[in-house]
Amino acid sequence: MRSVRCISAVGLAAALLVGCSTEKAAKDEFEKLDNKEFEVVYEITGSDVKDITYGTGDQKNEATETVEAPALPWKKKVTMKGVATTPSLSLILGEKGGEARCVITINGKEAKRATAKGEFGTATCVAASPAGHGGNAP
């Protein structure tokens, strides 16, 4: 009976060690993905855009910038990182109406597109971080 307990104890200890190393490997992989940088390109085309607001930070340092009465076409490139980072771009048209499009491109691939039309029309583009996909998908 004693030898069965010893074998069981050794088996339990081995299972715990494997579980701990698997957990550590998962944590290490998550941190690697969470620290991977990705390139975001924001673009606005069209006419009569009053304001543009876009995300510049990451999940730890969320920040936005606003551009009033931008010259169009407008383009801005930022570097972001983090699994929970959310690239975002919005625009508001002026009182004359018009039409404008916002586009977010991540690592060279289009991730989101939206169009605003009419007096004080709005468009918002929000994309997911590619970090949770190994940094490859938008």
Side-chain angles (χ1 to χ4, degrees):
M1 187 66 120
R2 185 170 192 197
S3 64
V4 172
R5 286 186 192 153
C6 288
I7 292 171
S8 295
V10 169
L12 178 62
L16 287 172
L17 287 174
V18 169
C20 289
S21 66
T22 302
E23 185 178 317
K24 182 177 179 348
K27 183 180 177 185
D28 290 348
E29 182 63 23
F30 176 81
E31 287 178 5
K32 179 181 167 187
L33 291 174
D34 202 36
N35 286 315
K36 188 168 180 88
E37 291 185 338
F38 54 95
E39 181 183 272
V40 177
V41 177
Y42 298 121
E43 293 181 78
I44 304 281
T45 57
S47 63
D48 197 33
V49 174
K50 181 181 174 194
D51 294 351
I52 295 172
T53 302
Y54 62 97
T56 60
D58 57 39
Q59 70 229 15
K60 295 175 185 164
N61 300 306
E62 291 185 35
T64 60
E65 301 264 335
T66 299
V67 179
E68 295 181 8
L72 297 178
W74 177 89
K75 188 175 192 177
K76 180 73 175 180
K77 185 188 308 185
V78 298
T79 300
M80 301 176 115
K81 70 177 181 176
V83 172
T85 300
T86 307
S88 63
L89 173 64
S90 63
L91 66 90
I92 300 173
L93 297 176
E95 62 189 35
K96 293 178 186 175
E99 182 175 328
R101 286 154 299 289
C102 62
V103 177
I104 297 177
T105 304
I106 299 176
N107 292 336
K109 296 178 184 176
E110 185 177 308
K112 204 54 143 180
R113 173 184 294 267
T115 302
K117 294 180 182 179
E119 185 178 316
F120 300 108
T122 63
T124 301
C125 292
V126 179
S129 167
H133 303 282
N136 297 321

